[in-house]
């Protein structure tokens, strides 16, 4: 019976990971972060390289998080990683601030009229409970 529970948990975890990754990359695509960065940095010809770097960064970050690799990169490596993470989060936050109208436009285009408050509350509740679980139950703090 325990193996059945492990299989169910693995399927749920895998499905959750796919949903989060798809949502993250969809948000990055909708917000147009990559074209804006390539335009700001004047490297439009290297847009595919930047997209590949973002995908590889997400994959490597996920692998490090899941498998708990010990990376001996020192203080300089930590500063470099923090710099790149900060640049990514900053560009994501600024793009998100520019286009806060994404959700209402999505609801309007899908002609969704009922249940919008329920969907928004469920998204917020799921995010809050997931964060609570990760930080307090899994030992993040």
């Amino acid at each position: 019976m325990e193996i059945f529970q492990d299989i169910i948990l693995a399927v749920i975890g895998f499905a959750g990971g796919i949903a989060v990754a798809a949502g993250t990359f969809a948000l990055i695509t909708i917000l147009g972060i990559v074209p804006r960065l390539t335009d700001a940095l004047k490297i439009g010809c290297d847009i595919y390289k930047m997209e590949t770097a973002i995908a590889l960064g997400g994959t490597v970050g996920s692998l490090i998080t899941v498998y708990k690799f010990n990376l001996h990169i020192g203080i300089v490596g930590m500063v470099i990683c923090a710099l790149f993470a900060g640049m990514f989060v900053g560009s994501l936050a600024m793009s998100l601030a520019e286009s806060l109208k994404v959700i209402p436009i999505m609801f309007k285009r899908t002609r969704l009229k009922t249940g919008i408050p329920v969907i928004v509350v469920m998204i917020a509740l799921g995010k809050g409970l997931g964060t609570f679980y990760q930080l307090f139950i899994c030992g993040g703090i």
Side-chain angles (χ1 to χ4, degrees), residues 16-31 92:
I18 288 174
V20 170
T24 301
F25 287 112
L27 182 66
I28 289 171
T29 303
I30 288 171
L31 295 177
L92 183 63

Side-chain angles (χ1 to χ4, degrees), residues 106-120:
M106 180 186 71
F107 287 147
K108 184 177 178 181
R109 288 188 181 171
T110 59
R111 293 182 174 82
L112 186 64
K113 303 225 186 258
T114 59
I116 294 173
V118 174
I119 292 172
V120 172

